[in-house]
Amino acid sequence: EPEVTQTPSHQVTQMGQEVILRCVPISNHLYFYWYRQILGQKVEFLVSFYNNEISEKSEIFDDQFSVERPDGSNFTLKIRSTKLEDSAMYFCATTRSLMRAYNEQFFGPGTRLTVL
Amino acid sequence: GQQVMQIPQYQHVQEGEDFTTYCNSSTTLSNIQWYKQRPGGHPVFLIQLVKSGEVKKQKRLTFQFGEAKKNSSLHITATQTTDVGTYFCAGPNNNNDMRFGAGTRLTVKP
């Protein structure tokens, strides 16, 4: 069964450094998402992406965050200057069609980001 | 913005006992989804409810959508250790992006 993949599984970085988290969506899916989950807490929406544009972003997704799909395959989340509070699990998710509210989201295994 | 509130935050049960988690929205939802996240894992889609008053069953799991489409519940009958995890509800906001509840973490004592 097709699945969303994410790399790396764990990223450790120093505060102030840039990180890029990578996701390979399921091939025929159209909507892509990034979520954040601080340890033991809820799954928080960061951004949705469709047709190479941001569809919506949350208040968490400030100027330090950016997303792109540089090669038509990878879907990346970049954090320009990491802060301690960026430490969390980051999940990529995709949905099949434009009726995204009615489609299940397929989540990747996540990247655990640790900022020291 | 639209939020779904979920209670309880934690539930610890003895194996064989029942478990229920509740999800409430201040606004009418077009649909609601339920996900399960095993410890150390990622959320996995369980089910979607769309119709007012809808009830769906998956083996020991029963999902309900309220008549006003503002609340939902997940009930597990006779819990097993394999039911351990966090159960999230999710509802769409005005932009049709799903917003997750805080989740209910279920632990089951054998």
Side-chain angles (χ1 to χ4, degrees):
Chain A
E1 183 171 330
E3 57 185 21
V4 177
T5 59
Q6 288 185 244
T7 55
S9 57
H10 191 188
Q11 175 90 48
V12 181
T13 189
Q14 294 290 326
M15 188 170 57
Q17 295 296 304
E18 173 183 288
V19 294
I20 297 176
L21 311 183
R22 291 182 170 80
C23 166
V24 178
I26 295 172
S27 63
N28 61 343
H29 284 200
L30 298 178
Y31 253 94
F32 313 137
Y33 304 85
W34 282 104
Y35 291 91
R36 179 181 82 175
Q37 186 177 35
I38 295 170
L39 186 62
Q41 298 188 23
K42 67 186 292 184
V43 177
E44 298 177 290
F45 169 81
L46 292 179
V47 66
S48 58
F49 189 85
Y50 167 72
N51 200 26
N52 284 318
E53 290 184 346
I54 290 175
S55 177
E56 187 182 10
K57 56 185 180 180
S58 73
E59 59 276 7
I60 302 170
F61 195 90
D62 61 22
D63 291 345
Q64 293 300 311
F65 290 86
S66 63
V67 289
E68 63 176 356
R69 200 171 185 214
D71 56 8
S73 175
N74 288 284
F75 175 51
T76 62
L77 173 69
K78 180 192 290 186
I79 309 175
R80 288 189 184 80
S81 178
T82 50
K83 304 187 283 285
L84 294 176
E85 53 265 37
D86 293 327
S87 294
M89 182 71 89
Y90 288 81
F91 290 109
C92 173
T94 69
T95 57
R96 187 177 300 116
S97 79
L98 294 179
M99 295 289 289
R100 60 195 185 280
Y102 291 92
N103 277 258
E104 68 177 278
Q105 296 199 22
F106 292 81
F107 281 78
T111 293
R112 179 167 299 284
L113 176 64
T114 303
V115 182
L116 303 176
Chain B
Q2 180 270 338
Q3 286 190 6
V4 286
M5 309 301 291
Q6 199 171 347
I7 56 170
Q9 189 175 0
Y10 302 98
Q11 186 80 57
H12 180 71
V13 300
Q14 190 77 35
E15 188 173 22
E17 293 181 338
D18 292 356
F19 159 76
T20 305
T21 173
Y22 301 90
C23 190
N24 293 287
S25 170
S26 57
T27 58
T28 301
L29 300 170
S30 57
N31 59 301
I32 196 160
Q33 297 176 349
W34 285 91
Y35 291 78
K36 177 183 179 181
Q37 183 178 26
R38 294 183 186 275
H42 57 276
V44 175
F45 176 82
L46 292 176
I47 209 160
Q48 175 170 259
L49 304 170
V50 179
K51 299 176 184 175
S52 169
E54 188 170 15
V55 178
K56 286 188 176 180
K57 290 181 185 282
Q58 287 180 351
K59 298 182 180 178
R60 294 178 294 102
L61 277 61
T62 302
F63 303 84
Q64 285 190 295
F65 202 9
E67 293 290 339
K69 300 181 75 172
K70 288 186 174 182
N71 58 75
S72 181
S73 64
L74 158 59
H75 180 82
I76 302 178
T77 304
T79 54
Q80 299 175 358
T81 54
T82 53
D83 296 324
V84 164
T86 302
Y87 293 84
F88 294 97
C89 62
N93 69 351
N94 292 334
N95 198 46
N96 283 323
D97 289 313
M98 302 305 279
R99 293 292 183 268
F100 285 74
T104 297
R105 183 179 298 177
L106 172 65
T107 55
V108 179
K109 185 176 180 181

